[in-house]
Amino acid sequence: MTRYEALFGTVKPVIGMVHLGALPGAPLHDADRGLDGLVASARADLAALQEAGFDAVLFGNENDRPYELDVDSASTATMAFVIGQLRSEITVPFGVNVLWDPMATVALAASTGAAFCREIFTGTYASDMGFWSPDAGKAMRYRDRLGRSDLVMLYNVSAEFADSLDRRPLQDRARSAVFSSIPDAVLVSGTITGEAAELRDLEAVKVVLPHTPVMANTGVRHDTVADVLRIADGCVVGSALKFDGDTWKAVDPVRARDFMRRARSVT
């Protein structure tokens, strides 16, 4: 059994997103609602996902637009505070992602006791945030220095909001990342949040990585989840679960339950 399977308790886990509201310092932060508002919104989304039967949840700061490559420490600290307020209510494995900063993501995982993390750890990109060149070696060593060698690492190998400057095909970059950086799973994404990864990309990556879990990371919908899970070893889903399918709205309990009903018909 792989660490991935041991953590999620299934070979095809479905991970639901808890999109935190914009954090202090971010342009979209709602100062009137403050920290209490961030906690209340996250609590409602967490409850809806757990009640719907998701295998795990992932806390992320998608609302912190425009995104940063070197995240303000206040953002990471606030995410830790929110998760800490909810810690006793979390009944499934949880992960974290501080966009788009691998070191902050690892630090947040260590400080909250997260079981897994997701991030862009490898590659070189031209992006909306400028030149983007993460350092997997540095992040993995930081993880171990923090005493979290058990942290399950989900590597997103097709960055959103960016284009790879490495002109090798996606499947070659994914295979190389597994060889050189030892992720627990590889994630394939669409162009931006909420847009689907191409099924042909998922297939191409899975063919060259038969022994490494490959997940769909963005844009999985109610009408596509069955097709996605016939190829992928799990998925991360956010936008499709929200009221009206709107990324920036709260999780709709009805949509969340319907999504898991469809996912379970495959898994």
Side-chain angles (χ1 to χ4, degrees), residues 8-28:
F8 297 116
T10 174
V11 294
K12 289 182 182 278
V14 181
I15 302 173
M17 288 299 309
V18 178
H19 290 146
L20 301 184
L23 305 172
L28 298 177

Side-chain angles (χ1 to χ4, degrees), residues 137-187:
K138 186 176 180 181
M140 292 286 270
R141 285 165 173 79
Y142 187 43
R143 177 199 69 174
D144 289 0
R145 287 203 308 276
L146 294 177
R148 288 304 314 275
S149 59
D150 63 319
L151 182 65
V152 170
M153 309 290 282
L154 309 184
Y155 277 41
N156 184 359
V157 295
S158 48
E160 300 139 71
F161 312 101
D163 184 46
S164 176
L165 297 176
D166 183 341
R167 304 327 295 177
R168 291 177 297 172
L170 174 62
Q171 61 266 32
D172 289 346
R173 289 189 279 117
R175 185 164 57 96
S176 183
V178 168
F179 182 91
S180 65
S181 302
I182 332 169
D184 292 288
V186 164
L187 279 61

Side-chain angles (χ1 to χ4, degrees), residues 97-112:
N97 185 189
V98 186
L99 303 172
W100 293 97
D101 188 334
M103 301 298 280
T105 294
V106 170
L108 180 61
S111 68
T112 59

Side-chain angles (χ1 to χ4, degrees), residues 175 205-214 233:
R175 185 164 57 96
V205 172
K206 189 58 199 172
V207 165
V208 300
L209 295 176
H211 305 300
T212 299
V214 175
D233 302 301

Side-chain angles (χ1 to χ4, degrees), residues 21-256:
L23 305 172
L28 298 177
H29 176 62
D30 186 343
D32 291 334
R33 295 195 72 216
L35 295 179
D36 288 344
L38 290 172
V39 172
S41 295
R43 173 173 284 120
D45 284 357
L46 172 66
L49 294 172
Q50 291 186 153
E51 289 167 8
F54 280 77
D55 298 302
V57 296
L58 176 60
F59 293 92
N61 62 328
E62 268 80 2
N63 279 287
D64 278 357
R65 297 168 284 155
Y67 300 120
E68 300 177 294
L69 300 178
D70 184 11
V71 171
D72 190 314
S73 57
S75 299
T76 310
T78 303
M79 290 183 73
F81 170 79
V82 173
I83 294 169
Q85 293 294 298
L86 302 176
R87 190 69 179 83
S88 64
E89 302 168 38
I90 303 174
T91 59
V92 295
F94 77 92
V96 296
N97 185 189
V98 186
L99 303 172
W100 293 97
D101 188 334
M103 301 298 280
T105 294
V106 170
L108 180 61
S111 68
T112 59
F116 65 97
C117 68
R118 176 191 71 175
E119 187 50 88
I120 298 289
F121 289 103
T122 58
T124 305
Y125 307 89
S127 79
D128 294 346
M129 295 77 69
F131 178 70
W132 187 356
S133 183
D135 187 335
K138 186 176 180 181
M140 292 286 270
R141 285 165 173 79
Y142 187 43
R143 177 199 69 174
D144 289 0
R145 287 203 308 276
L146 294 177
R148 288 304 314 275
S149 59
D150 63 319
L151 182 65
V152 170
M153 309 290 282
L154 309 184
Y155 277 41
N156 184 359
V157 295
S158 48
E160 300 139 71
F161 312 101
D163 184 46
S164 176
L165 297 176
D166 183 341
R167 304 327 295 177
R168 291 177 297 172
L170 174 62
Q171 61 266 32
D172 289 346
R173 289 189 279 117
R175 185 164 57 96
S176 183
V178 168
F179 182 91
S180 65
S181 302
I182 332 169
D184 292 288
V186 164
L187 279 61
V188 179
S189 304
T191 320
I192 64 173
T193 298
E195 290 192 3
E198 296 286 348
L199 289 181
R200 63 175 177 269
D201 288 340
L202 280 170
E203 289 176 323
V205 172
K206 189 58 199 172
V207 165
V208 300
L209 295 176
H211 305 300
T212 299
V214 175
M215 303 186 77
N217 188 49
T218 61
V220 184
R221 305 187 309 271
H222 294 69
D223 61 339
T224 62
V225 63
D227 291 334
V228 167
L229 290 179
R230 289 189 185 101
I231 300 168
D233 302 301
C235 66
V236 181
V237 59
S239 300
L241 310 177
K242 305 300 187 70
F243 284 98
D244 304 320
D246 185 335
T247 302
W248 313 117
K249 293 184 178 180
V251 172
D252 179 344
V254 174
R255 291 178 69 96

